[in-house]
Amino acid sequence: MGFQVGPRRSNVWDDVLALDKLIRTADFDITGKDEREFEFDLRSKIALYKKLGNIKGKFFSQLSKDASVRSVRIFGKNHRPDLTIDEDGIAIELKLLRSSLDGLKQSIGQAIFYRIRYRFVINLLVVDEKYKTVYEKACSEGEKDLEDICLELSKEMNIFTYIVPNFAPDPGMKKVLAWNDVDDSD
């Protein structure tokens, strides 16, 4: 079995573009105690976007009682994204980078797993203020290897990574690091 085919000209792709816009304009400087609270916040933002007609596909959440998120079974374990649009459309994985930065490598691995069942994957990494200097360095092109990896994942595997601060960015600091080719497509 291979990866799902993800043509960048479909209703699902239009939803990727809508999520790109949502992530680029949303505020992730919220007071959440844990990753679950950030998932609730993202779920609310996406639900509002859907209600406004910006997202066309059906919305699924791990937190929902009435619909389940499709899992990927690998090496005896089920892996499920936090949120999805359509049953095979877009998997969304949110990681709060608070106690360590290990969530970055976990989300990249999970995203590759999710591509087996979903056409597109969005990784949303929320960086705690504890790592403000790391984020600031990344804003000024100090993470070229990570930037290259994310761009390659975007172009070759339809995995789109967004890194956002969980703090108010200083002047001159980017609000979102999006090293992907989502807005390069026609």
Side-chain angles (χ1 to χ4, degrees):
M1 172 179 275
F3 295 127
Q4 283 286 337
V5 176
R8 294 185 180 198
R9 59 185 185 292
S10 64
N11 288 337
V12 178
W13 178 247
D14 291 342
D15 286 346
V16 169
L17 295 174
L19 289 168
D20 177 76
K21 184 176 180 181
L22 170 69
I23 292 168
R24 290 176 186 274
T25 57
D27 182 14
F28 293 95
D29 182 15
I30 63 168
T31 53
K33 287 182 250 161
D34 59 17
E35 196 167 285
R36 176 81 66 196
E37 288 186 37
F38 283 87
E39 286 176 33
F40 274 119
D41 181 65
L42 180 61
R43 181 177 185 235
S44 298
K45 287 174 172 134
I46 292 173
L48 177 60
Y49 233 54
K50 178 152 179 61
K51 186 175 181 179
L52 294 171
N54 296 321
I55 293 176
K56 308 290 186 249
K58 190 169 181 184
F59 178 53
F60 298 94
S61 167
Q62 276 193 42
L63 306 172
S64 180
K65 290 181 181 180
D66 58 340
S68 63
V69 172
R70 285 181 67 196
S71 64
V72 179
R73 187 159 184 84
I74 295 181
F75 209 61
K77 184 175 188 304
N78 285 329
H79 302 271
R80 284 191 313 222
D82 298 316
L83 308 161
T84 67
I85 307 292
D86 290 332
E87 287 186 17
D88 66 350
I90 306 165
I92 303 166
E93 183 64 31
L94 181 139
K95 289 287 185 218
L96 175 60
L97 305 180
R98 178 167 280 159
S99 59
S100 81
L101 296 173
D102 287 346
L104 170 66
K105 62 185 176 185
Q106 291 169 348
S107 70
I108 289 172
Q110 286 174 285
I112 293 169
F113 290 177
Y114 299 152
R115 279 291 287 117
I116 292 171
R117 299 272 183 274
Y118 297 90
R119 298 175 200 179
F120 304 100
V121 177
I122 292 182
N123 271 337
L124 179 60
L125 306 167
V126 181
V127 179
D128 186 80
E129 190 163 19
K130 172 181 176 180
Y131 298 108
K132 186 174 183 175
T133 56
V134 174
Y135 185 82
E136 186 174 33
K137 183 179 177 187
C139 287
S140 58
E141 300 181 14
E143 288 289 340
K144 185 69 174 126
D145 291 337
L146 178 58
E147 187 175 338
D148 291 345
I149 289 168
C150 291
L151 190 55
E152 190 70 15
L153 287 170
S154 174
K155 289 179 177 179
E156 298 301 322
M157 296 190 70
N158 285 337
I159 297 171
F160 311 114
T161 303
Y162 298 84
I163 304 172
V164 298
N166 178 228
F167 52 87
D170 292 340
M173 219 185 255
K174 294 176 184 174
K175 184 179 174 184
V176 177
L177 297 174
W179 298 312
N180 60 53
D181 67 338
V182 170
D183 50 3
D184 294 345
S185 301
D186 15 348

